[in-house]
Amino acid sequence: LIRRGFLLLRRAGGMWGIANADVASLTRRGESYGVGTAESTLRADEIVGVVDDLAVRPLAAAVRRFWPEASLGWAVHGALPVVLVDPQRPPRALAWAEGEPTDGE
């Protein structure tokens, strides 16, 4: 299944993707970036860029047993695996630490 338009970011040693349609804002927050969605603000260490197409595949059952987070699937960009973020259930790795401002203030 080919899906179009993803923002790629790095965080917690991994590559993550979020559909452009789900991105409401993008802000710089010190050493990090805030990626706003309708549901929350995600944290990124680096914004890698935007890609038009990704061949998204579901996570295999064997991977889901060991991957505790929700995901819309995975893809490969270049030689790197990309986990596709479900903005309604974002992974803990993209969360801001408790007490950190997430509204850009």
Side-chain angles (χ1 to χ4, degrees):
L1 172 66
I2 299 287
R3 293 192 182 174
R4 300 207 172 272
F6 288 88
L7 176 69
L8 300 183
L9 53 102
R10 289 187 200 273
R11 175 77 182 141
M15 179 82 80
W16 306 84
I18 184 165
N20 287 342
D22 292 326
V23 177
S25 65
L26 183 61
T27 57
R28 179 74 184 204
R29 306 233 173 109
E31 297 292 316
S32 300
Y33 294 88
V35 180
T37 70
E39 292 79 14
S40 63
T41 301
L42 310 176
R43 184 177 193 166
D45 296 328
E46 176 186 358
I47 302 299
V48 176
V50 176
V51 295
D52 289 332
D53 298 325
L54 286 177
V56 178
R57 299 192 173 29
L59 292 177
V63 173
R64 284 194 314 269
R65 285 193 350 231
F66 299 101
W67 183 259
E69 305 284 357
S71 168
L72 295 178
W74 73 281
V76 175
H77 177 67
L80 298 174
V82 178
V83 177
L84 282 295
V85 174
D86 179 347
Q88 295 182 7
R89 298 177 296 164
R92 289 179 295 245
L94 300 182
W96 292 85
E98 191 171 318
E100 281 186 285
T102 61
D103 61 3
E105 296 180 5

